[in-house]
Amino acid sequence: LVNRRVSGERSYDKLLGGLLADGFDERSCRSRYQSVMYRSRPGKQPSAYLVSKLRQQEALQRRCGPGTVAYSHALEQLRSGKSAGDSTGPQDCKYLVSISYRGLGNRILATASAFLYAVLTGRVLLVDPSNEMGELFCEPFPGTTWLLPPGFPLASYTNFSVNTTESYGNMLRNKVIRTAAGDVRPASRLPAFSYVHLDHDATEQDNLFFCDEDQRVLRNISWLVMRTDSYIVPGLFLDTGFQGELGRMFPEPDAVFHHIVRYLFHPNNHVWGLVTRYYDAYLATAQQRVGIQVRVFGSQPNSPELLEQITKCTQKERLLPELLAAAADPVAPGPSRKTKAVLVTSLKSWYYEKLKGMYWERAAATGEAVSVHQPSHEEFQRFGARSHDAKAWAEIYLLSLTDALVTTAWSTFGYVAQGLGGLRPWVMYRPDNDTHVPDPPCGRDVSMEPCFHAPPFYDCRLKRGADTGKIVPQVQHCIDMSWGLKIV
Ligand code: GDP
C-alpha cells in the first residue's frame, strides 16, 4: 500500500494500479500523480502483463533514447542510408518517429496509436516536437525524453506525404520491397528507413501496413517514420501477428485507449493549473457533473437545431432535468436540493448562454439546481497558437472529469475526453442536413474507445476487399461514423 495516498477520507492509488511508473519528480509534473484525486471513478485496472510491458518499454526508451551510444549509432546508420543489417548486438535499437498533425484530439490519438505500435514491435517511440507536441505534456518515460531531438538526418521528414518515394506503399509499388513471396533478402539489404503513411489519402498499398506479411518486412527496418491523424489501433487488432500480445496486454479490449492515454498524456503544470482552478471553482462541489462537448466550426452560424438536439438528448437520457412551465414551483425547493454542474465546451458561447438561460428562467422538474459553465470560447479553430492549444487540452481534461459525458459525432476532441475519463459517452448523431434534428438525437456509445476514421477495407488472409468490421469480434463499426472501426 505504499502507493496509496490518503486525502480527507478517501485513499488514492496514485500509480493507477501500476500503470504509472513511480519515482518521477512530482513538482515537475503535478498532474501525473494528482489527477487521481480529481476523478470520482477509479478507472479500469491494467493487467499485470500490460504493467510489465510498460516497464520494459521505459527501459528500452532509456537504453536506446536520445543521448545514448545506441542512439548515435542508429543515427549514423540512418545517415549512411544502410540498414542496421543482421547485427543483433545489445545496442541494436529500432525506432518509430511519430508525426502527428491537425487538431489536438487528432494528435493525441495518433501518438497513442504510435506508442502501442512501438510497444508491440519493440521500437523506441520518438515524437516530432512540432505542433505543440513538445509543449503541452510532461515527459512520459522516466530518465529520458520522448521528443525527437533537433538535427534529425531526414531533414524534410515533416513534409512526408503519400507521394514520398520511401513510403511503404510506394516501396511496395516500385518493388523496392516485396512481401508476396516473402522478402528473402538479408536485412542488411533493406532500406535504412521507411515512411508509413496512414492519412485519409493512404493508398491500398499504404494500408497493407495492417497485414502481418507486411509487418514481417517492416520488422527488419531500423527506422520507421509514421504519419497519421487517426486512432489506428483497431487496425492493429486485425493483424494476426499482434492479436496474441494484444489479448494478453488488454484482457478488456475496450480499455486500450483508456490505459494508453492515462499512461502517456499528462498535462504540464501550466495546463494543470487551468484544469484544477476551473474544477475547484466551478465543478467540485456539485453532486453530479455532466459534460457536453459541442463541436462547431467557425463558419457555422449558431444553430437552433443543434441546441434542440442537445436539450432533447440530455433530457431524454435523463442527464439534465426537464423544465417546468415558467411560473411553476420546483418540486423540492430549499437548501436540500441537489446540485448539478454542466460543463459545456465549444468554440462558440451561444449554446452555453442558451442552456444557462433556460435553467435560470425556469425551474427544473426534479427540483435540482443546475449551473452551467463554459471555460472558454475561442470562436475559431487555430493552428499552432500556444494558449489556444493549452485551453483545448484543459477543456478535454475537464470533460474527462465529469460523471456523464455527451459528445459530438466524429470529434476526436470528445474521444480523448471519454478515454481519459473511462466514460462511455452519449454521442450526438451527425444530422443529414443542418435544418434537421436527428431522431433519436443521440445514442449511448458501445464502448469508450475512439473510432478509427480511415480504416483499411481489406482482408489480409483472403487478399481481397472486405468489411473489416466483421473479421474479429473485438473490432466493429462505430455508431457515429458507419465506415469507421472501433474496439468493443
Ligand atoms: P476534432 O477536429 O473535433 O476531431 O478535434 P481536434 O481536437 O482534433 O481539433 C479541433 C481543435 O479545435 C481543437 O484541438 C481546439 O484547438 C479547437 N477546439 C474545438 N472545440 C473546442 C472547444 O470546445 N474548446 C476549445 N478550447 N478548443 C476547441
Side-chain angles (χ1 to χ4, degrees), residues 61-75 91 95 124 126 143-150 223:
Q61 300 274 152
R62 273 193 298 275
R63 182 165 68 75
C64 302
T68 62
V69 176
Y71 184 70
S72 314
H73 180 70
L75 275 188
Q91 298 294 319
Y95 298 84
V124 176
L126 293 174
T144 182
T145 180
W146 72 334
L147 298 177
L148 183 72
W223 287 88

PDB file of all heavy atoms in Angstrom, residues 61-75 91 95 124 126 143-150 223:
ATOM      1  N   GLN A  61      13.348   2.697 -23.803  1.00  0.00           N
ATOM      2  CA  GLN A  61      13.458   4.122 -24.143  1.00  0.00           C
ATOM      3  C   GLN A  61      14.720   4.723 -23.510  1.00  0.00           C
ATOM      4  O   GLN A  61      15.373   5.570 -24.113  1.00  0.00           O
ATOM      5  CB  GLN A  61      12.221   4.898 -23.665  1.00  0.00           C
ATOM      6  CG  GLN A  61      10.911   4.436 -24.266  1.00  0.00           C
ATOM      7  CD  GLN A  61      10.541   5.055 -25.613  1.00  0.00           C
ATOM      8  OE1 GLN A  61       9.851   4.446 -26.415  1.00  0.00           O
ATOM      9  NE2 GLN A  61      11.011   6.269 -25.872  1.00  0.00           N
ATOM     10  N   ARG A  62      15.044   4.266 -22.306  1.00  0.00           N
ATOM     11  CA  ARG A  62      16.255   4.780 -21.638  1.00  0.00           C
ATOM     12  C   ARG A  62      17.517   4.242 -22.295  1.00  0.00           C
ATOM     13  O   ARG A  62      18.484   4.952 -22.493  1.00  0.00           O
ATOM     14  CB  ARG A  62      16.254   4.387 -20.154  1.00  0.00           C
ATOM     15  CG  ARG A  62      15.527   5.354 -19.257  1.00  0.00           C
ATOM     16  CD  ARG A  62      15.829   5.089 -17.790  1.00  0.00           C
ATOM     17  NE  ARG A  62      15.396   3.756 -17.376  1.00  0.00           N
ATOM     18  CZ  ARG A  62      14.156   3.466 -16.974  1.00  0.00           C
ATOM     19  NH1 ARG A  62      13.250   4.413 -16.926  1.00  0.00           N
ATOM     20  NH2 ARG A  62      13.837   2.237 -16.617  1.00  0.00           N
ATOM     21  N   ARG A  63      17.483   2.965 -22.668  1.00  0.00           N
ATOM     22  CA  ARG A  63      18.680   2.316 -23.212  1.00  0.00           C
ATOM     23  C   ARG A  63      19.013   2.830 -24.616  1.00  0.00           C
ATOM     24  O   ARG A  63      20.178   2.949 -24.979  1.00  0.00           O
ATOM     25  CB  ARG A  63      18.431   0.799 -23.255  1.00  0.00           C
ATOM     26  CG  ARG A  63      19.605  -0.008 -23.766  1.00  0.00           C
ATOM     27  CD  ARG A  63      19.431  -1.481 -23.448  1.00  0.00           C
ATOM     28  NE  ARG A  63      18.349  -2.127 -24.184  1.00  0.00           N
ATOM     29  CZ  ARG A  63      18.413  -2.454 -25.461  1.00  0.00           C
ATOM     30  NH1 ARG A  63      19.498  -2.197 -26.161  1.00  0.00           N
ATOM     31  NH2 ARG A  63      17.396  -3.047 -26.055  1.00  0.00           N
ATOM     32  N   CYS A  64      17.968   3.149 -25.391  1.00  0.00           N
ATOM     33  CA  CYS A  64      18.182   3.492 -26.801  1.00  0.00           C
ATOM     34  C   CYS A  64      17.854   4.935 -27.139  1.00  0.00           C
ATOM     35  O   CYS A  64      18.023   5.354 -28.281  1.00  0.00           O
ATOM     36  CB  CYS A  64      17.302   2.602 -27.678  1.00  0.00           C
ATOM     37  SG  CYS A  64      17.586   0.842 -27.482  1.00  0.00           S
ATOM     38  N   GLY A  65      17.341   5.682 -26.179  1.00  0.00           N
ATOM     39  CA  GLY A  65      16.810   7.020 -26.470  1.00  0.00           C
ATOM     40  C   GLY A  65      17.902   8.043 -26.750  1.00  0.00           C
ATOM     41  O   GLY A  65      19.102   7.734 -26.692  1.00  0.00           O
ATOM     42  N   PRO A  66      17.497   9.279 -27.075  1.00  0.00           N
ATOM     43  CA  PRO A  66      18.444  10.351 -27.354  1.00  0.00           C
ATOM     44  C   PRO A  66      19.499  10.470 -26.258  1.00  0.00           C
ATOM     45  O   PRO A  66      19.187  10.348 -25.070  1.00  0.00           O
ATOM     46  CB  PRO A  66      17.550  11.595 -27.383  1.00  0.00           C
ATOM     47  CG  PRO A  66      16.217  11.070 -27.800  1.00  0.00           C
ATOM     48  CD  PRO A  66      16.099   9.711 -27.191  1.00  0.00           C
ATOM     49  N   GLY A  67      20.743  10.709 -26.692  1.00  0.00           N
ATOM     50  CA  GLY A  67      21.833  10.863 -25.721  1.00  0.00           C
ATOM     51  C   GLY A  67      22.579   9.569 -25.447  1.00  0.00           C
ATOM     52  O   GLY A  67      23.632   9.594 -24.814  1.00  0.00           O
ATOM     53  N   THR A  68      22.078   8.450 -25.912  1.00  0.00           N
ATOM     54  CA  THR A  68      22.770   7.182 -25.655  1.00  0.00           C
ATOM     55  C   THR A  68      23.701   6.838 -26.825  1.00  0.00           C
ATOM     56  O   THR A  68      23.555   7.364 -27.931  1.00  0.00           O
ATOM     57  CB  THR A  68      21.770   6.017 -25.480  1.00  0.00           C
ATOM     58  OG1 THR A  68      21.039   5.856 -26.706  1.00  0.00           O
ATOM     59  CG2 THR A  68      20.790   6.285 -24.352  1.00  0.00           C
ATOM     60  N   VAL A  69      24.618   5.945 -26.556  1.00  0.00           N
ATOM     61  CA  VAL A  69      25.529   5.458 -27.601  1.00  0.00           C
ATOM     62  C   VAL A  69      24.706   4.784 -28.700  1.00  0.00           C
ATOM     63  O   VAL A  69      24.952   4.976 -29.896  1.00  0.00           O
ATOM     64  CB  VAL A  69      26.532   4.452 -26.993  1.00  0.00           C
ATOM     65  CG1 VAL A  69      27.423   3.854 -28.081  1.00  0.00           C
ATOM     66  CG2 VAL A  69      27.367   5.141 -25.924  1.00  0.00           C
ATOM     67  N   ALA A  70      23.727   4.019 -28.275  1.00  0.00           N
ATOM     68  CA  ALA A  70      22.907   3.295 -29.250  1.00  0.00           C
ATOM     69  C   ALA A  70      22.212   4.268 -30.202  1.00  0.00           C
ATOM     70  O   ALA A  70      22.111   4.012 -31.401  1.00  0.00           O
ATOM     71  CB  ALA A  70      21.871   2.455 -28.516  1.00  0.00           C
ATOM     72  N   TYR A  71      21.771   5.376 -29.661  1.00  0.00           N
ATOM     73  CA  TYR A  71      21.051   6.351 -30.489  1.00  0.00           C
ATOM     74  C   TYR A  71      21.993   6.969 -31.521  1.00  0.00           C
ATOM     75  O   TYR A  71      21.650   7.072 -32.704  1.00  0.00           O
ATOM     76  CB  TYR A  71      20.431   7.437 -29.594  1.00  0.00           C
ATOM     77  CG  TYR A  71      19.584   8.429 -30.355  1.00  0.00           C
ATOM     78  CD1 TYR A  71      18.363   8.048 -30.894  1.00  0.00           C
ATOM     79  CD2 TYR A  71      20.010   9.745 -30.530  1.00  0.00           C
ATOM     80  CE1 TYR A  71      17.575   8.954 -31.609  1.00  0.00           C
ATOM     81  CE2 TYR A  71      19.238  10.656 -31.238  1.00  0.00           C
ATOM     82  CZ  TYR A  71      18.017  10.265 -31.770  1.00  0.00           C
ATOM     83  OH  TYR A  71      17.255  11.157 -32.472  1.00  0.00           O
ATOM     84  N   SER A  72      23.198   7.363 -31.085  1.00  0.00           N
ATOM     85  CA  SER A  72      24.178   7.947 -32.019  1.00  0.00           C
ATOM     86  C   SER A  72      24.503   6.949 -33.116  1.00  0.00           C
ATOM     87  O   SER A  72      24.594   7.301 -34.293  1.00  0.00           O
ATOM     88  CB  SER A  72      25.483   8.311 -31.312  1.00  0.00           C
ATOM     89  OG  SER A  72      25.224   8.970 -30.132  1.00  0.00           O
ATOM     90  N   HIS A  73      24.655   5.707 -32.726  1.00  0.00           N
ATOM     91  CA  HIS A  73      24.984   4.645 -33.672  1.00  0.00           C
ATOM     92  C   HIS A  73      23.862   4.493 -34.707  1.00  0.00           C
ATOM     93  O   HIS A  73      24.116   4.441 -35.914  1.00  0.00           O
ATOM     94  CB  HIS A  73      25.174   3.360 -32.862  1.00  0.00           C
ATOM     95  CG  HIS A  73      25.521   2.175 -33.683  1.00  0.00           C
ATOM     96  ND1 HIS A  73      26.744   2.044 -34.312  1.00  0.00           N
ATOM     97  CD2 HIS A  73      24.814   1.062 -33.989  1.00  0.00           C
ATOM     98  CE1 HIS A  73      26.768   0.902 -34.969  1.00  0.00           C
ATOM     99  NE2 HIS A  73      25.608   0.287 -34.800  1.00  0.00           N
ATOM    100  N   ALA A  74      22.635   4.489 -34.233  1.00  0.00           N
ATOM    101  CA  ALA A  74      21.487   4.312 -35.130  1.00  0.00           C
ATOM    102  C   ALA A  74      21.340   5.509 -36.072  1.00  0.00           C
ATOM    103  O   ALA A  74      20.979   5.360 -37.234  1.00  0.00           O
ATOM    104  CB  ALA A  74      20.219   4.109 -34.315  1.00  0.00           C
ATOM    105  N   LEU A  75      21.643   6.709 -35.548  1.00  0.00           N
ATOM    106  CA  LEU A  75      21.565   7.904 -36.396  1.00  0.00           C
ATOM    107  C   LEU A  75      22.597   7.834 -37.514  1.00  0.00           C
ATOM    108  O   LEU A  75      22.327   8.189 -38.656  1.00  0.00           O
ATOM    109  CB  LEU A  75      21.833   9.164 -35.573  1.00  0.00           C
ATOM    110  CG  LEU A  75      20.683   9.797 -34.814  1.00  0.00           C
ATOM    111  CD1 LEU A  75      21.122  11.136 -34.233  1.00  0.00           C
ATOM    112  CD2 LEU A  75      19.440   9.984 -35.681  1.00  0.00           C
ATOM    113  N   GLN A  91      23.182  -3.356 -28.490  1.00  0.00           N
ATOM    114  CA  GLN A  91      22.914  -1.958 -28.820  1.00  0.00           C
ATOM    115  C   GLN A  91      21.929  -1.824 -29.972  1.00  0.00           C
ATOM    116  O   GLN A  91      21.664  -0.728 -30.434  1.00  0.00           O
ATOM    117  CB  GLN A  91      24.223  -1.260 -29.215  1.00  0.00           C
ATOM    118  CG  GLN A  91      25.253  -1.222 -28.114  1.00  0.00           C
ATOM    119  CD  GLN A  91      24.795  -0.360 -26.959  1.00  0.00           C
ATOM    120  OE1 GLN A  91      24.224   0.689 -27.165  1.00  0.00           O
ATOM    121  NE2 GLN A  91      25.010  -0.821 -25.742  1.00  0.00           N
ATOM    122  N   TYR A  95      13.562   2.193 -34.104  1.00  0.00           N
ATOM    123  CA  TYR A  95      12.878   3.443 -33.737  1.00  0.00           C
ATOM    124  C   TYR A  95      11.600   3.670 -34.535  1.00  0.00           C
ATOM    125  O   TYR A  95      11.492   3.242 -35.686  1.00  0.00           O
ATOM    126  CB  TYR A  95      13.826   4.630 -33.962  1.00  0.00           C
ATOM    127  CG  TYR A  95      15.054   4.546 -33.104  1.00  0.00           C
ATOM    128  CD1 TYR A  95      16.153   3.784 -33.523  1.00  0.00           C
ATOM    129  CD2 TYR A  95      15.113   5.170 -31.877  1.00  0.00           C
ATOM    130  CE1 TYR A  95      17.283   3.673 -32.727  1.00  0.00           C
ATOM    131  CE2 TYR A  95      16.236   5.071 -31.077  1.00  0.00           C
ATOM    132  CZ  TYR A  95      17.320   4.316 -31.505  1.00  0.00           C
ATOM    133  OH  TYR A  95      18.432   4.206 -30.704  1.00  0.00           O
ATOM    134  N   VAL A 124      11.632   2.075 -30.087  1.00  0.00           N
ATOM    135  CA  VAL A 124      11.659   3.280 -29.268  1.00  0.00           C
ATOM    136  C   VAL A 124      10.736   4.301 -29.933  1.00  0.00           C
ATOM    137  O   VAL A 124      10.845   4.525 -31.136  1.00  0.00           O
ATOM    138  CB  VAL A 124      13.097   3.843 -29.232  1.00  0.00           C
ATOM    139  CG1 VAL A 124      13.157   5.155 -28.479  1.00  0.00           C
ATOM    140  CG2 VAL A 124      14.038   2.813 -28.636  1.00  0.00           C
ATOM    141  N   LEU A 126       9.727   8.025 -30.689  1.00  0.00           N
ATOM    142  CA  LEU A 126      10.188   9.408 -30.630  1.00  0.00           C
ATOM    143  C   LEU A 126       9.147  10.281 -31.308  1.00  0.00           C
ATOM    144  O   LEU A 126       8.691   9.978 -32.417  1.00  0.00           O
ATOM    145  CB  LEU A 126      11.543   9.547 -31.323  1.00  0.00           C
ATOM    146  CG  LEU A 126      12.698   8.826 -30.613  1.00  0.00           C
ATOM    147  CD1 LEU A 126      13.966   8.902 -31.442  1.00  0.00           C
ATOM    148  CD2 LEU A 126      12.937   9.413 -29.226  1.00  0.00           C
ATOM    149  N   GLY A 143      13.580   9.282 -16.909  1.00  0.00           N
ATOM    150  CA  GLY A 143      15.016   9.256 -17.199  1.00  0.00           C
ATOM    151  C   GLY A 143      15.399   9.393 -18.656  1.00  0.00           C
ATOM    152  O   GLY A 143      16.535   9.083 -19.025  1.00  0.00           O
ATOM    153  N   THR A 144      14.497   9.838 -19.509  1.00  0.00           N
ATOM    154  CA  THR A 144      14.824  10.029 -20.919  1.00  0.00           C
ATOM    155  C   THR A 144      13.794  10.960 -21.538  1.00  0.00           C
ATOM    156  O   THR A 144      12.855  11.378 -20.859  1.00  0.00           O
ATOM    157  CB  THR A 144      14.871   8.677 -21.665  1.00  0.00           C
ATOM    158  OG1 THR A 144      15.242   8.900 -23.031  1.00  0.00           O
ATOM    159  CG2 THR A 144      13.529   7.967 -21.639  1.00  0.00           C
ATOM    160  N   THR A 145      13.965  11.299 -22.805  1.00  0.00           N
ATOM    161  CA  THR A 145      12.968  12.143 -23.467  1.00  0.00           C
ATOM    162  C   THR A 145      12.301  11.377 -24.603  1.00  0.00           C
ATOM    163  O   THR A 145      12.941  10.548 -25.244  1.00  0.00           O
ATOM    164  CB  THR A 145      13.596  13.440 -24.017  1.00  0.00           C
ATOM    165  OG1 THR A 145      12.559  14.214 -24.642  1.00  0.00           O
ATOM    166  CG2 THR A 145      14.698  13.171 -25.042  1.00  0.00           C
ATOM    167  N   TRP A 146      11.045  11.682 -24.839  1.00  0.00           N
ATOM    168  CA  TRP A 146      10.364  11.055 -25.980  1.00  0.00           C
ATOM    169  C   TRP A 146      10.337  11.999 -27.181  1.00  0.00           C
ATOM    170  O   TRP A 146       9.800  11.652 -28.220  1.00  0.00           O
ATOM    171  CB  TRP A 146       8.952  10.596 -25.615  1.00  0.00           C
ATOM    172  CG  TRP A 146       7.890  11.649 -25.415  1.00  0.00           C
ATOM    173  CD1 TRP A 146       8.065  12.942 -25.042  1.00  0.00           C
ATOM    174  CD2 TRP A 146       6.473  11.460 -25.595  1.00  0.00           C
ATOM    175  NE1 TRP A 146       6.842  13.569 -24.940  1.00  0.00           N
ATOM    176  CE2 TRP A 146       5.840  12.678 -25.286  1.00  0.00           C
ATOM    177  CE3 TRP A 146       5.685  10.386 -25.973  1.00  0.00           C
ATOM    178  CZ2 TRP A 146       4.460  12.851 -25.340  1.00  0.00           C
ATOM    179  CZ3 TRP A 146       4.311  10.559 -26.026  1.00  0.00           C
ATOM    180  CH2 TRP A 146       3.717  11.771 -25.717  1.00  0.00           C
ATOM    181  N   LEU A 147      10.940  13.190 -27.021  1.00  0.00           N
ATOM    182  CA  LEU A 147      10.925  14.152 -28.123  1.00  0.00           C
ATOM    183  C   LEU A 147      12.111  13.909 -29.049  1.00  0.00           C
ATOM    184  O   LEU A 147      13.243  13.759 -28.601  1.00  0.00           O
ATOM    185  CB  LEU A 147      10.972  15.575 -27.575  1.00  0.00           C
ATOM    186  CG  LEU A 147       9.785  15.960 -26.691  1.00  0.00           C
ATOM    187  CD1 LEU A 147       9.977  17.366 -26.134  1.00  0.00           C
ATOM    188  CD2 LEU A 147       8.460  15.852 -27.464  1.00  0.00           C
ATOM    189  N   LEU A 148      11.846  13.898 -30.326  1.00  0.00           N
ATOM    190  CA  LEU A 148      12.899  13.741 -31.319  1.00  0.00           C
ATOM    191  C   LEU A 148      13.790  14.975 -31.253  1.00  0.00           C
ATOM    192  O   LEU A 148      13.307  16.096 -31.444  1.00  0.00           O
ATOM    193  CB  LEU A 148      12.273  13.604 -32.706  1.00  0.00           C
ATOM    194  CG  LEU A 148      13.247  13.362 -33.844  1.00  0.00           C
ATOM    195  CD1 LEU A 148      13.815  11.946 -33.770  1.00  0.00           C
ATOM    196  CD2 LEU A 148      12.571  13.588 -35.197  1.00  0.00           C
ATOM    197  N   PRO A 149      15.100  14.795 -30.988  1.00  0.00           N
ATOM    198  CA  PRO A 149      15.976  15.970 -30.874  1.00  0.00           C
ATOM    199  C   PRO A 149      16.158  16.665 -32.225  1.00  0.00           C
ATOM    200  O   PRO A 149      15.969  16.035 -33.268  1.00  0.00           O
ATOM    201  CB  PRO A 149      17.316  15.383 -30.402  1.00  0.00           C
ATOM    202  CG  PRO A 149      17.013  13.999 -29.935  1.00  0.00           C
ATOM    203  CD  PRO A 149      15.815  13.535 -30.696  1.00  0.00           C
ATOM    204  N   PRO A 150      16.543  17.945 -32.212  1.00  0.00           N
ATOM    205  CA  PRO A 150      16.796  18.648 -33.469  1.00  0.00           C
ATOM    206  C   PRO A 150      17.943  17.975 -34.223  1.00  0.00           C
ATOM    207  O   PRO A 150      18.737  17.252 -33.629  1.00  0.00           O
ATOM    208  CB  PRO A 150      17.201  20.056 -33.025  1.00  0.00           C
ATOM    209  CG  PRO A 150      17.065  20.118 -31.550  1.00  0.00           C
ATOM    210  CD  PRO A 150      16.771  18.755 -31.024  1.00  0.00           C
ATOM    211  N   TRP A 223      14.484   2.170 -38.879  1.00  0.00           N
ATOM    212  CA  TRP A 223      13.786   3.441 -38.633  1.00  0.00           C
ATOM    213  C   TRP A 223      12.462   3.465 -39.393  1.00  0.00           C
ATOM    214  O   TRP A 223      12.453   3.283 -40.607  1.00  0.00           O
ATOM    215  CB  TRP A 223      14.629   4.623 -39.107  1.00  0.00           C
ATOM    216  CG  TRP A 223      15.803   4.914 -38.234  1.00  0.00           C
ATOM    217  CD1 TRP A 223      17.044   4.363 -38.324  1.00  0.00           C
ATOM    218  CD2 TRP A 223      15.841   5.836 -37.132  1.00  0.00           C
ATOM    219  NE1 TRP A 223      17.857   4.871 -37.354  1.00  0.00           N
ATOM    220  CE2 TRP A 223      17.149   5.791 -36.602  1.00  0.00           C
ATOM    221  CE3 TRP A 223      14.900   6.685 -36.535  1.00  0.00           C
ATOM    222  CZ2 TRP A 223      17.535   6.572 -35.506  1.00  0.00           C
ATOM    223  CZ3 TRP A 223      15.292   7.455 -35.448  1.00  0.00           C
ATOM    224  CH2 TRP A 223      16.590   7.394 -34.941  1.00  0.00           C
TER     225      TRP A 223
END
